[in-house]
Amino acid sequence: MYNQAQRTLTTGRLILRPFKESDAQRVSELCNNYNIYKSTLTLPYPYSVDCALSWIQTQEVNFNNNKSYEFAITDKNTYELYGAIGLSNNQTHKNGELGYWIGEEYWGKGYATEATKAILEFAFTEKHYHKVYARFFASNPGSGRVMQKSGMVKEGVLLQHVYKENKFVDLIHYGIINT
């Protein structure tokens, strides 16, 4: 459920909320992890507090300008930060790309799937998207399972689409259309 005044999405276990500058230290701790870096398209490594602050400081303007929507994935009861989920906004085509990361200590608990379902509802109900898509490295099948569990379907493979760690890697493309 979306609360427009607070810019929050609430699920059974989670609150997705805007990031605050006070989150920068925890974001840095979670993201300064090689296993997260190797599974993401744009996350730098190492990941400093300054990287986190810089990223957080762009989010409100992007949200207000309907360029993108970034949310901290937090526990509904303890407010502990688990990760992030974001959605770009291509207004011309009424679509956007979904991206997320979860701190490694929280993997396998269903948080990414729960957050993804909430973001898809936000995209279709609040922002009136026609389509949401996402991509993941073939080496990260867990991300593909998140997309499948969220109702997304495989649309194809972008062969050797990204150069990462001195090699070309495939991206698997998933999408979902608002019906």
Side-chain angles (χ1 to χ4, degrees):
M1 176 172 52
Y2 181 59
N3 179 321
Q4 187 172 1
Q6 295 180 349
R7 289 188 179 170
T8 59
L9 295 160
T10 304
T11 70
R13 300 180 297 164
L14 304 173
I15 294 176
L16 309 183
R17 60 155 175 84
F19 277 92
K20 304 175 280 196
E21 288 188 4
S22 60
D23 293 320
Q25 179 63 43
R26 186 63 178 145
V27 168
S28 173
E29 291 167 4
L30 293 170
C31 289
N32 201 25
N33 178 320
Y34 178 75
N35 290 325
I36 292 177
Y37 160 77
K38 72 179 185 178
S39 298
T40 57
L41 282 170
T42 59
L43 209 65
Y45 182 78
Y47 197 96
S48 67
V49 172
D50 286 340
C51 285
L53 275 172
S54 177
W55 175 64
I56 290 168
Q57 290 168 349
T58 65
Q59 293 174 9
E60 186 171 354
V61 170
N62 288 341
F63 199 108
N64 289 339
N65 291 333
N66 286 311
K67 183 177 177 184
S68 64
Y69 314 102
E70 298 281 348
F71 295 92
I73 302 171
T74 65
D75 185 274
K76 191 176 188 177
N77 298 313
T78 67
Y79 307 109
E80 185 174 358
L81 179 64
Y82 294 148
I85 191 162
L87 182 67
S88 67
N89 185 9
N90 184 333
Q91 294 178 24
T92 301
H93 300 294
K94 299 184 187 309
N95 70 25
E97 182 173 10
L98 166 73
Y100 49 81
W101 58 263
I102 300 290
E104 186 173 13
E105 62 198 270
Y106 308 110
W107 290 359
K109 300 182 186 319
Y111 298 136
T113 301
E114 193 169 327
T116 296
K117 288 177 179 179
I119 286 291
L120 291 173
E121 182 179 334
F122 170 78
F124 295 140
T125 304
E126 299 295 327
K127 297 301 177 180
H128 309 291
Y129 284 28
H130 174 69
K131 180 180 182 175
V132 174
Y133 63 94
R135 302 173 290 171
F136 68 95
F137 293 131
S139 61
N140 184 13
S143 195
R145 286 190 295 278
V146 167
M147 293 172 199
Q148 291 168 355
K149 290 177 188 175
S150 301
M152 300 177 88
V153 296
K154 183 176 178 180
E155 296 183 336
V157 178
L158 304 172
L159 297 173
Q160 299 182 18
H161 194 72
V162 172
Y163 190 72
K164 184 149 182 143
E165 298 192 302
N166 300 314
K167 62 183 176 187
F168 289 98
V169 295
D170 297 348
L171 284 182
I172 301 173
H173 198 283
Y174 271 66
I176 186 169
I177 294 173
N178 187 17
T179 54

